[in-house]
Amino acid sequence: MTHVFHRDQRKAYPVAVRGEGCYLIDSHGKRYLDAAAGAAVSCLGHSDDEVIAAIEAQLRRLPYAVTSFFTNQPAEELADLLASDAPEGLDRVWFALDGSEAVESALKLARQWAIETGQPQRRRIVSRRQSYHGNTLGALAAGGNAFRRAPYEPLLVPMHHVSPCYAYREQMADESEQAYGERLARELETEIERLGGATVLAFIAETVAGATLGSACPVPGYFRRVREICNRHGVLLILDEVMCGLGRTGHLHACIAEDVVPDLLCLAKGLGAGYQPMGAVLVRRRVWEPVTQGSGAFQHGHTFMGHAAACAGALAVQRAIRSRSLVQAVRERGKSLEERLRTRFGAHPHVGDIRGRGLLWTLELVRERATKEPFAPDATLHARVKAEAMLRGLTCYPMPGCADGRRGDHVLLAPPYVISEPQLDELVDKLAPAIDAAIVQALTVERSGMDAE
Ligand SMILES: Cc1ncc(COP(=O)(O)O)c(C=O)c1O
């Protein structure tokens, strides 16, 4: 019997004992090609000697010194590096330990900014349906995924949700991408005006969607209009690039491709690449300066923030991404992955949409391509794909609920930036039969449900 409170209490998990490049190896010696990099985390793979050596060396010098008394060298150097090539003005770095903490910090810092700038009435936060910003209460409240929110709804602070940018299901047949983006932007502005523009604090969005909407990309111009609207109403723009940031979409920051600079930029996953838990918020001068000149301190903080060994690991990861030209590698490998996915699944009767950018790709699975009808949630197609893929030695990231928060299944792929061309072949060769087997099972479950009715 295990004493670990596992995520799924009824499941027996394989024990991961070793990492080797893009592979995870379990206690029976079985190898899994890690096509999800954990959860879009392990961008350098699992055995990068330089990163491991940097962490070891830091542990010998100084593992940890609490940030309410000290700063430390790796934290300073990591912040210097992140500020040096961030979009203009994002030049202060608030450290956190993960994505949820980064989002919580951004939300609270936004509120403190309002107070420091004499706008205490600004308290409302707008986000998007189907979004995911983390599982802590504030981040969950910002998130718009009905399934994840449901049990905790009574504990969540009220937030306001507008439509996501989800062209596959929500762009109308006779609507151009530009018109679709404009419609979404108008919806945001209408919501801000309905709430009373001067009471709205921030709009938070994933630049490229992650876990709950499966790498849905913004249509061109959408975020530029969002930025204009936020500016017009004095609302802060928080971009959550916890999953899509730091090279994952083929740009160092996903917002670079959208030609917008947020006021707060949340980062995590690829920051420490799984070698250490790490998160951060890049903060624009117009947000941090009023704090510096006002009360002087952000009224927030966590015991392990700016952890010296974690920062040393993240610093080595970030140096590797830059010195090994891995953002360029993501673009190249991303094209190869896209080609393979389109070749293998482009005409698949149950793959409704293939979408993504860089090395963040999604297959949205549907019962019928023509109607885009999802599988019944009770058929648990996503879980079946995950299990069938693992049987074949592949980890991918299937999730439920993309269509409307409850219905819809998608498979997210986010392999390490160092994945090779033969490994991309292996990925699709394992994924295709896993999906087919899962679909056969899901159709059988659906049919037996119908027979029982
Ligand atoms: C966009 C986004 N924001 C926030 C989070 C939460 O990050 P964490 O699980 O590290 O708390 C995630 C995690 O998947 C995410 O994808």
Side-chain angles (χ1 to χ4, degrees), residues 177-210:
E177 282 192 327
Q178 200 204 355
Y180 174 49
E182 183 55 37
R183 173 160 64 87
L184 294 175
R186 274 207 308 274
E187 181 190 338
L188 172 64
E189 184 150 40
T190 304
E191 181 65 3
I192 290 174
E193 286 167 351
R194 187 187 71 80
L195 294 168
T199 70
V200 179
L201 182 60
F203 174 59
I204 177 167
E206 295 157 270
T207 316
V208 173

Side-chain angles (χ1 to χ4, degrees), residues 342-372:
R342 294 205 188 280
T343 305
R344 191 67 72 103
F345 299 102
H348 193 291
H350 296 288
V351 175
D353 194 26
I354 302 174
R355 57 176 177 259
R357 201 179 269 180
L359 277 176
L360 189 64
W361 281 88
T362 291
L363 305 176
E364 183 166 337
L365 306 178
V366 288
R367 171 118 54 78
E368 240 189 75
R369 273 167 73 118
T371 59
K372 304 183 182 177

